Amino acid sequence: VQTCALPISDEVGYITIFVYGIGGFTTAEQKTDLLVDVSGKSVAGLEIGINDARLIELDVFATVGYSSQYESSVVLSNIKSILGSYFSPATYRFSDTIKLSEFYAAISSVPGVVYVTELSVVPQDLTIAQNDGSGNIDFFHKGSLPNVSSSGMTITLTSVNTQ
């Protein structure tokens, strides 16, 4: 019989949990409940922190060609809706980077969109996120989530005859 003894360490461990509730930030009571629950399932010596997610406000600028068979107001509304819902703290995953191609894919998925000719995404606060030069957005802090609001979108539509 062979055994393997793992070295015992006196080092303290740390873990931070970033949270965002359903439709908004979690309350202090919800964070306390979560801390109690996680602490009860963790090992002794592990220090646990519960922090709110950091919201990164993003501005989106796009020029989009749409089929003349669609109403421009409907296409515009659908583009804003999909960008606002996909790049929302309620639905987006925690990540260090958002690829520009995700924005292209979201806009291109809207019925009536034929092509996207120009697209740029800019963080409103350059001290917490930046454009990496290729159009991707890098977050400077763990626990960051994007937030794209309708007021942060500038979408220019051009009708395209697709017949």
Side-chain angles (χ1 to χ4, degrees):
V1 174
Q2 292 183 342
T3 61
C4 178
L6 297 175
I8 298 174
S9 173
D10 291 331
E11 299 294 321
V12 177
Y14 300 92
I15 185 171
T16 302
I17 301 169
F18 294 94
V19 295
Y20 186 80
I22 299 172
F25 289 103
T26 55
T27 65
E29 183 178 291
Q30 290 170 323
K31 284 186 250 184
T32 300
D33 291 344
L34 181 59
L35 180 60
V36 168
D37 187 49
V38 171
S39 295
K41 296 175 181 158
S42 69
V43 297
L46 183 62
E47 291 190 28
I48 302 168
I50 308 286
N51 293 339
D52 286 323
R54 181 186 306 258
L55 298 189
I56 310 296
E57 301 291 334
L58 300 174
D59 291 333
V60 178
F61 303 91
T63 302
V64 177
Y66 73 97
S67 171
S68 59
Q69 297 175 354
Y70 287 79
E71 287 291 324
S72 63
S73 61
V74 173
V75 173
L76 180 61
S77 176
N78 289 341
I79 290 171
K80 287 186 173 190
S81 178
I82 195 141
L83 289 175
S85 64
Y86 185 79
F87 298 100
S88 159
T91 57
Y92 200 81
R93 69 197 182 286
F94 283 100
S95 176
D96 294 335
T97 300
I98 300 178
K99 301 288 187 195
L100 186 63
S101 61
E102 293 180 65
F103 288 89
Y104 275 106
I107 294 170
S108 297
S109 73
V110 172
V113 170
V114 178
Y115 53 77
V116 179
T117 57
E118 293 180 38
L119 177 62
S120 64
V121 181
V122 180
Q124 290 181 6
D125 184 347
L126 297 176
T127 65
I128 56 177
Q130 72 178 1
N131 186 304
D132 71 356
S134 298
N136 305 318
I137 301 299
D138 292 329
F139 298 146
F140 296 157
H141 304 282
K142 297 286 184 192
S144 295
L145 291 170
N147 191 36
V148 175
S149 66
S150 184
S151 63
M153 294 182 224
T154 304
I155 311 296
T156 303
L157 296 178
T158 303
S159 178
V160 176
N161 189 353
T162 55
Q163 293 180 351

